[in-house]
Amino acid sequence: MAEFREVLQKTAKAFVENNTLAVQKKDTSLFSAILTEDCIRMYRPLSFIQRYPQFFKAQITNADYEAQMKIELQTMRDVSQKITRTVIDTAERRATLWSEQTVFTADGSKSVVEVIWDLNFSDDGTRVSQIMEFVDTYESTKVLEQILARAGTE
């Protein structure tokens, strides 16, 4: 079990690193690099999803997420992530990661957004098969309102 735990930890670490690199390199394919082809991403809380239907659906595919992030990346200059908590359940093939993300926008502003990812893994643990993402609604609202304002001026 210790070896499998290490596999899950490595996959979870790659998931976080790919999310950071995707922003830095402006390459949306990196968001899906460690995911299974049929991976489903779900957002919570549902009230937030309902507030911003132009950005979120209750669940989306890798392709949907990459398309969504192409829009969001236009406003992001850089991101850094600090994982503050990791819980791994080898029997269930799951991990929960708490992340503090510092997002630097193109206009020079900075936001610290907290995100909790609940990840399910493939049978061998080398890929993420499902993502439940709980977003910091207060800070995320500010970022999304910036995106909407920018879209309205173009």
Side-chain angles (χ1 to χ4, degrees):
M1 261 316 164
E3 288 178 16
F4 190 57
R5 180 179 182 76
E6 289 174 18
V7 170
L8 296 181
Q9 285 177 311
K10 182 180 176 184
T11 304
K13 182 179 179 188
F15 171 80
V16 173
E17 289 172 350
N18 285 347
N19 277 279
T20 301
L21 286 172
V23 174
Q24 293 170 344
K25 295 184 176 198
K26 305 292 188 238
D27 180 354
T28 58
S29 70
L30 291 171
F31 289 114
S32 302
I34 199 80
L35 310 182
T36 61
E37 288 189 25
D38 61 346
C39 180
I40 296 295
R41 183 180 298 257
M42 297 171 284
Y43 292 104
R44 296 295 183 272
L46 287 174
S47 59
F48 185 67
I49 300 351
Q50 293 162 353
R51 168 71 175 94
Y52 292 101
Q54 66 272 52
F55 290 103
F56 301 106
K57 297 175 187 166
Q59 65 180 42
I60 60 174
T61 65
N62 296 335
D64 292 335
Y65 186 72
E66 289 179 27
Q68 170 187 316
M69 289 308 297
K70 278 187 182 178
I71 296 166
E72 290 189 37
L73 285 178
Q74 293 173 17
T75 65
M76 300 168 86
R77 186 172 41 87
D78 197 4
V79 66
S80 65
Q81 298 190 68
K82 178 182 174 186
I83 300 301
T84 59
R85 181 178 176 160
T86 302
V87 179
I88 294 181
D89 181 338
T90 55
E92 294 289 326
R93 294 187 335 271
R94 296 179 81 155
T96 301
L97 308 172
W98 292 52
S99 173
E100 290 178 4
Q101 300 178 0
T102 304
V103 179
F104 302 92
T105 60
D107 69 3
S109 65
K110 174 176 104 171
S111 298
V112 177
V113 179
E114 291 181 277
V115 175
I116 300 170
W117 287 300
D118 188 31
L119 307 176
N120 290 9
F121 297 94
S122 59
D123 289 342
D124 66 0
T126 62
R127 299 178 88 51
V128 175
S129 60
Q130 182 176 298
I131 304 163
M132 173 80 71
E133 184 171 329
F134 194 93
V135 297
D136 179 341
T137 56
Y138 180 75
E139 289 298 326
S140 294
T141 295
K142 289 194 253 181
V143 172
L144 293 176
E145 290 298 330
Q146 279 183 341
I147 293 169
L148 289 172
R150 183 173 180 209
T153 61
E154 294 180 351

